[in-house]
Amino acid sequence: MAKARKFDLSSPWGRLAAHVDMTWRDHAFLRVWWTNAHWISDEMVRSNQPWPFQIRAWGRRGIKTFINLRGPGKQGQAEAFLQLERDACARAGIKHVDFTLNSRATPSAETLREAQALFNSIDYPALMHCKSGADRAGIASVLYLHFRKGEPIDRAMRMLGLRYGHVKQGKTGVLDHFFESYLAHSRVSGLSLIEWAEKHYDPEVLKADFQKKSKWWANILVDKILNRE
């Protein structure tokens, strides 16, 4: 992806340029009608990257917090989609939070602790999103249901499903492998997810182990055809 530009959203031409950039560089034309939005509890929605008009609509429906799982941008420079998102949230009176997750790498113990703190501190109802609403939104949904709602991991893992566009046979399946590895260990140890991540988990070893299992066709589908982040 080319270097992010700073758009002057106070200017009609700058705002138009940001929308054009988002439409084509971030493939937002695919998300005008397809939102991949699902209420996963009475207080949380997961979705793909929203348009500003969709953010305004969610605000009218009572959403108080938007969680961007794509991160704050590289070298502090936000892409057009994030500049527009922050602006739309500010105009709608919605709190905006950046929280970075990775679709092809597993979370650290620190990230798990930060996720737990986040879900226990934000104002609800809330919406969290990544680009497609499939992978990072999936792992965030598992963590939300586990930390906030007390669901066991094996049940919460339904959030990583084909229904949401998640393809576990590709590189993004490392997220499933992360939870499956924890479940296998916890049946013997009885450790919590965070305790396991702190004491018995090596992200690089787990990732390398999964790469041997991922399928070439699924990687082509996810990386080349669907163009997932």
Side-chain angles (χ1 to χ4, degrees):
M1 183 178 285
K3 184 178 179 180
R5 293 171 53 197
K6 175 66 175 177
F7 296 93
D8 179 10
L9 300 185
S10 67
S11 158
W13 287 110
R15 187 171 291 273
L16 175 61
H19 275 86
V20 170
D21 184 275
M22 173 182 173
T23 299
W24 299 110
R25 283 212 306 147
D26 200 51
H27 312 106
F29 62 91
L30 298 172
R31 303 190 296 268
V32 175
W33 295 281
W34 177 67
T35 62
N36 202 14
H38 306 270
W39 285 91
I40 62 172
S41 77
D42 59 349
E43 63 177 11
M44 178 65 81
V45 182
R46 59 177 288 178
S47 81
N48 60 18
Q49 175 67 51
W51 281 78
F53 77 87
Q54 293 165 337
I55 293 173
R56 293 192 293 272
W58 283 115
R60 290 192 294 270
R61 294 179 66 178
I63 294 297
K64 296 180 179 179
T65 305
F66 251 72
I67 304 172
N68 161 45
L69 301 171
R70 303 176 71 178
K74 297 178 180 178
Q75 289 81 48
Q77 181 61 66
E79 298 285 348
F81 68 82
L82 185 50
Q83 294 173 42
L84 289 167
E85 177 178 326
R86 289 171 174 167
D87 176 76
C89 283
R91 290 169 179 264
I94 300 171
K95 184 177 180 180
H96 186 271
V97 179
D98 294 317
F99 188 80
T100 307
L101 289 176
N102 194 315
S103 65
R104 292 166 178 78
T106 53
S108 65
E110 180 181 8
T111 298
L112 295 176
R113 288 192 296 269
E114 290 173 350
Q116 184 178 43
L118 174 69
F119 293 133
N120 286 329
S121 63
I122 60 172
D123 293 329
Y124 290 94
L127 181 149
M128 55 185 172
H129 75 85
C130 54
K131 182 180 180 181
S132 299
D135 307 311
R136 288 167 291 186
I139 187 173
S141 296
V142 175
L143 297 177
Y144 160 78
L145 290 174
H146 182 62
F147 290 139
R148 172 78 174 174
K149 295 297 187 179
E151 285 198 12
I153 291 295
D154 56 353
R155 174 168 166 73
M157 279 184 67
R158 69 187 184 282
M159 292 291 107
L160 288 167
L162 193 58
R163 172 190 180 189
Y164 307 104
H166 175 69
V167 181
K168 67 179 296 182
Q169 294 84 358
K171 294 177 182 177
T172 51
V174 72
L175 304 178
D176 304 77
H177 189 55
F178 168 75
F179 290 120
E180 289 163 355
S181 298
Y182 161 68
L183 289 172
H185 193 283
S186 68
R187 291 186 189 104
V188 177
S189 66
L191 293 176
S192 71
L193 179 63
I194 292 178
E195 289 173 333
W196 170 76
E198 290 174 334
K199 301 175 182 178
H200 299 280
Y201 155 62
D202 186 322
E204 293 304 317
V205 171
L206 190 147
K207 182 177 180 180
D209 178 57
F210 177 75
Q211 285 177 342
K212 304 171 187 175
K213 304 175 183 179
S214 63
K215 308 296 184 182
W216 64 269
W217 60 265
N219 290 330
I220 292 175
L221 173 65
V222 172
D223 296 341
K224 304 299 182 183
I225 299 176
L226 298 177
N227 197 29
R228 296 276 174 76
E229 284 184 344

